[in-house]
Amino acid sequence: MPRLSRLLCCCPLGGNRSKEDGIYHPLLPDDERQAINDLLQFFRTSVDIGQPTEEQMRSLLYVSYSERVDLQRTAALCFAEISDRMRADAKMEMVEALVALLQVHDVEVQQASSLALSNLALKGPAVNKRTIMQAGALRPLISLLSSTNEDVQCNACGCITTLATTEINKRNVVEHGALQPLLQLARSPDARVQRNAAGAILNITHIDTNRDEMVRGNALPILLGLLKSPDRDVQYYTAAALSNIAVNEEHRSAIIAVDGGSVLSSLLELLSNVSNKVQRFANVIPQCFNL
């Protein structure tokens, strides 16, 4: 039996007896009970979980908009499982349900729904990125960057990183206020969160107006600090971002001026980095900073 079917079994389909009046109260209305049963059948028998039928998707959407948090958790978990294997275009109704789940004030729902959206953006066809943006996912994703839960932070940040691979999305991410939360997460003690934040920052530095905003937003000291990260990916993303920012002569001067010019020694250290990934980028550092 797939893992999700066991999770679905945790949803009560029967009823209970109130301690106050001794009367039996059904825990689920008939429609919700039927939707859960349909999903149970799907996850028990489906060979390809990434391709639910229209009827199965209707059941999942119905549960998504339930007022019960346990059913919302079930829906979010189902979406996370489906999205991991789904390679077809995500329909708007599915993405809109996920956007609604992002805004539920429950950490488990937020974890699973943000993971599902990240999967759709990263593993699905390119059109999914446009659908996610059109469904209004960006604002709730940015809001989740300020979550106190590191899994939620990681998923939301990873989704934004993937969305910010098109020019229009790179602009939208900054225009909607993601820069400062991303800079905060770039200093996270969680390596996964820090790596995703650094990747998102790199992606948005490909737009000149975004680079201007980063310099004005006091991003340079944070980025320079990340050059000393023990994580090679973070080093690479940060050095590449600084190289993009340094295309502008005024920005280059601002980078060098941070912390008494210590950036030069940090950049030179990267030139001797044993990581092939960092080495591929390190060759352009002398050109950017006239070293």
Side-chain angles (χ1 to χ4, degrees), residues 150-197:
E150 290 175 337
D151 287 331
V152 174
Q153 293 173 355
C154 185
N155 293 341
C157 196
C159 188
I160 289 173
T161 301
T162 305
L163 291 175
T165 53
T166 67
E167 183 168 348
I168 187 170
N169 287 353
K170 290 171 185 177
R171 296 183 188 278
N172 284 331
V173 165
V174 174
E175 289 174 359
H176 283 75
L179 178 57
Q180 290 305 318
L182 287 172
L183 290 172
Q184 286 293 111
L185 292 185
R187 295 184 287 186
S188 170
D190 187 299
R192 304 167 305 152
V193 175
Q194 187 181 77
R195 193 178 301 121
N196 281 351

Side-chain angles (χ1 to χ4, degrees), residues 93-221:
E93 59 184 5
M94 175 181 177
V95 178
E96 287 176 340
L98 281 168
V99 172
L101 290 169
L102 287 179
Q103 300 171 77
V104 173
H105 297 297
D106 179 81
V107 169
E108 292 183 37
V109 176
Q110 293 171 350
Q111 286 175 342
S113 58
S114 58
L115 176 60
L117 274 180
S118 186
N119 285 341
L120 291 176
L122 180 62
K123 301 180 179 183
V127 68
N128 283 359
K129 298 183 184 70
R130 183 169 68 248
T131 304
I132 290 170
M133 294 294 287
Q134 291 175 344
L138 186 55
R139 288 190 185 277
L141 283 170
I142 293 173
S143 178
L144 291 183
L145 295 179
S146 300
S147 169
T148 58
N149 181 275
E150 290 175 337
D151 287 331
V152 174
Q153 293 173 355
C154 185
N155 293 341
C157 196
C159 188
I160 289 173
T161 301
T162 305
L163 291 175
T165 53
T166 67
E167 183 168 348
I168 187 170
N169 287 353
K170 290 171 185 177
R171 296 183 188 278
N172 284 331
V173 165
V174 174
E175 289 174 359
H176 283 75
L179 178 57
Q180 290 305 318
L182 287 172
L183 290 172
Q184 286 293 111
L185 292 185
R187 295 184 287 186
S188 170
D190 187 299
R192 304 167 305 152
V193 175
Q194 187 181 77
R195 193 178 301 121
N196 281 351
I201 290 169
L202 168 58
N203 285 350
I204 63 179
T205 59
H206 293 110
I207 303 295
D208 55 356
T209 54
N210 289 351
R211 297 193 290 267
D212 294 340
E213 183 65 26
M214 294 185 74
V215 173
R216 289 194 299 268
N218 203 33
L220 297 182

Side-chain angles (χ1 to χ4, degrees), residues 185-256:
L185 292 185
R187 295 184 287 186
S188 170
D190 187 299
R192 304 167 305 152
V193 175
Q194 187 181 77
R195 193 178 301 121
N196 281 351
I201 290 169
L202 168 58
N203 285 350
I204 63 179
T205 59
H206 293 110
I207 303 295
D208 55 356
T209 54
N210 289 351
R211 297 193 290 267
D212 294 340
E213 183 65 26
M214 294 185 74
V215 173
R216 289 194 299 268
N218 203 33
L220 297 182
I222 296 173
L223 294 178
L224 295 176
L226 290 178
L227 289 176
K228 300 177 182 178
S229 169
D231 188 286
R232 298 304 189 193
D233 286 333
V234 172
Q235 287 182 346
Y236 170 76
Y237 297 149
T238 305
L242 285 169
S243 176
N244 290 339
I245 295 172
V247 170
N248 180 294
E249 185 175 353
E250 292 183 3
H251 295 171
R252 183 161 61 247
S253 299
I255 293 172
I256 295 175

Side-chain angles (χ1 to χ4, degrees), residues 13-29 33 68:
L13 299 179
N16 65 354
R17 189 176 298 276
S18 168
K19 293 181 179 179
E20 287 76 20
D21 56 21
I23 298 174
Y24 184 88
H25 296 283
L27 292 179
L28 292 177
R33 185 183 297 108
R68 294 174 53 112

